[in-house]
């Protein structure tokens, strides 16, 4: 029996291992659930703290009636008494603005009323651009209704009512 010579031996078999796998990352849904849980927790904490720290007398304060708001607004804007009137049981305020030849409220006090009633910019633009030839103008917003006219000599006449 003859044995193969070492230089004539069959080549050794090479065993290949599978390529290394990248490290696995946690599933995306786990992060979404974690973030959602954190948001719910923070929201619940904020609501709880705000309810616990609320002044106990806050709920005992009566809500102001709508009729009081125009009187309160006129007081806050410190209107000159002879150029405005509260009517209809406090549901209407009538203002006389200053003109070239007529006394009345200065523009700053009329603007205070517009701000306090939260007149929208779209209506305020119409109000500020009214000309004498436009006649009586009207507009509604929130709980208010307004009508006005303007002439350079006599100024603006403005009526705001609670609807």
């Amino acid at each position: 029996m003859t044995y193969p010579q070492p230089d004539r031996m069959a080549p050794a078999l090479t065993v290949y291992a599978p390529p290394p796998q990248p490290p696995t990352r946690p599933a995306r849904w786990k992060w979404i659930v974690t973030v959602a849980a954190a948001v719910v927790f923070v929201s619940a904490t904020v609501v709880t703290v705000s309810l616990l720290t609320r002044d106990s007398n806050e709920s005992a304060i009566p809500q102001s009636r709508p009729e009081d708001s125009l009187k309160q607004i006129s007081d806050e804007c410190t209107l000159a008494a002879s150029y405005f009137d509260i009517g209809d049981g406090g549901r209407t305020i009538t203002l006389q603005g200053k003109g070239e030849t007529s006394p009345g409220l200065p523009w700053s006090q009329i603007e205070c009323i517009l701000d306090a009633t939260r007149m929208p910019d779209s209506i305020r633009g119409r109000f500020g651009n009214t000309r004498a030839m436009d006649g009586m103008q009207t507009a509604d917003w929130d709980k208010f209704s307004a009508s006005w006219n303007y002439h350079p000599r006599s100024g603006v006449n403005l009526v705001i009512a609670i609807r």
Side-chain angles (χ1 to χ4, degrees), residues 13 18 60 65 69 72 74-75 77 94 100 120 133 144 151 159:
L13 293 174
R65 298 182 327 239
S69 65
Q72 289 171 350
S74 67
D75 291 343
C77 292
T94 304
E100 293 171 354
M133 67 174 74
F144 298 105
H151 191 279
V159 178

Side-chain angles (χ1 to χ4, degrees), residues 5 11 28 39 41 54 56 63 80 97 108 124 137 140 152 161-162:
Q5 297 297 332
R28 176 172 269 166
V39 168
F41 176 75
R54 187 175 75 185
S56 61
Q63 296 295 322
S108 61
R124 194 180 286 230
Q137 300 292 304
D140 296 322
I162 297 174

